[in-house]
Amino acid sequence: MTELLQHYLEEARRQFRGYKRLGEGAIAQLRDEELFVTLDPESNSVAIIVKHLAGNMRSRFTDFLTSDGEKPDRHRDQEFELSSATTRADVMRWWESGWACVFSAIEALRPEDVQRTVTIRGEPHTVLQAINRQLAHYAYHVGQIVFLAKHIRSKDWKSLSIPRGKSEEFNRKPVAERKPGPSGPRAGQA
């Protein structure tokens, strides 16, 4: 059982790293001003999504095993507000600090921790459930970032996976040569 739980933790870590790389591949293609573009008044920009992710990551993964995943000092609604002075450097600082919380917590986990109970907003979760919850949440928001970046960059977009019309060519390559994008063939993207 310990081996299976260790494998689960390694896979979760791999997926978190893959989503981080995928988001970074999309963000890197945007010009500074494009980080703040919204498609309509009810939409979020890449910058806002990053700010929200960072707030969620800090809250969920700080003292992961010992405190509720919704920290009392988190002000979620403020994660969806930006000042006119917000810069790319701010956005990238949020991105890096959020992921640092995630990786600090999950790298410290041992197989015997996977079945422990943690709470999120007072609701009990096994560590496995809490990790899966966050993997799904981060995949959702990284997907939004990729969608927005691809929409904004349009014809200048550089695919982060297998480019359109190139699947057959990709499939003909030996497995060792398959590298569809900056995150490699097994990074959590389709």
Side-chain angles (χ1 to χ4, degrees):
M1 181 64 125
T2 300
E3 187 177 318
L4 178 62
L5 297 175
Q6 182 61 38
H7 178 70
Y8 169 78
L9 288 173
E10 289 168 6
E11 177 60 15
R13 292 171 184 134
R14 185 193 66 78
Q15 287 190 37
F16 280 123
R17 286 190 301 268
Y19 290 126
K20 182 177 188 285
R21 282 190 302 267
L22 189 61
E24 288 168 351
I27 293 168
Q29 294 188 51
L30 295 172
R31 294 189 295 260
D32 291 358
E33 67 275 9
E34 292 171 334
L35 290 170
F36 305 96
V37 169
T38 57
L39 300 183
D40 59 61
E42 293 300 312
S43 296
N44 293 316
S45 66
V46 168
I48 286 177
I49 295 168
V50 168
K51 187 177 181 187
H52 166 61
L53 275 170
N56 178 278
M57 291 168 168
R58 183 195 63 80
S59 189
R60 296 293 185 265
F61 285 101
T62 299
D63 302 323
F64 178 61
L65 293 174
T66 58
S67 70
D68 191 275
E70 187 67 13
K71 303 299 182 276
D73 64 344
R74 181 182 185 201
H75 303 287
R76 185 181 178 279
D77 291 339
Q78 292 175 8
E79 295 167 11
F80 296 91
E81 300 170 359
L82 297 175
S83 86
S84 59
T86 303
T87 65
R88 174 183 284 273
D90 296 323
V91 173
M92 297 315 296
R93 189 179 72 258
W94 297 331
W95 178 263
E96 291 299 333
S97 68
W99 283 108
C101 289
V102 172
F103 292 124
S104 176
I106 66 164
E107 293 298 333
L109 294 174
R110 300 177 318 267
E112 56 270 23
D113 294 326
V114 174
Q115 295 177 305
R116 287 179 63 176
T117 299
V118 296
T119 59
I120 301 173
R121 294 190 177 117
E123 181 184 338
H125 294 68
T126 63
V127 166
L128 184 144
Q129 290 171 318
I131 289 172
N132 286 349
R133 174 180 171 151
Q134 296 318 119
L135 275 169
H137 186 204
Y138 303 160
Y140 169 79
H141 286 306
V142 169
Q144 290 176 318
I145 290 169
V146 171
F147 172 82
L148 286 167
K150 186 174 181 180
H151 176 79
I152 291 165
R153 298 306 298 151
S154 188
K155 67 181 179 354
D156 296 323
W157 174 254
K158 293 174 184 59
S159 179
L160 300 174
S161 63
I162 302 167
R164 186 179 296 195
K166 301 288 186 178
S167 294
E168 295 300 322
E169 179 184 325
F170 179 83
N171 290 338
R172 284 192 296 272
K173 291 180 181 180
V175 173
E177 294 177 24
R178 294 181 185 174
K179 298 216 185 319
S183 50
R186 296 202 59 210
Q189 77 261 20

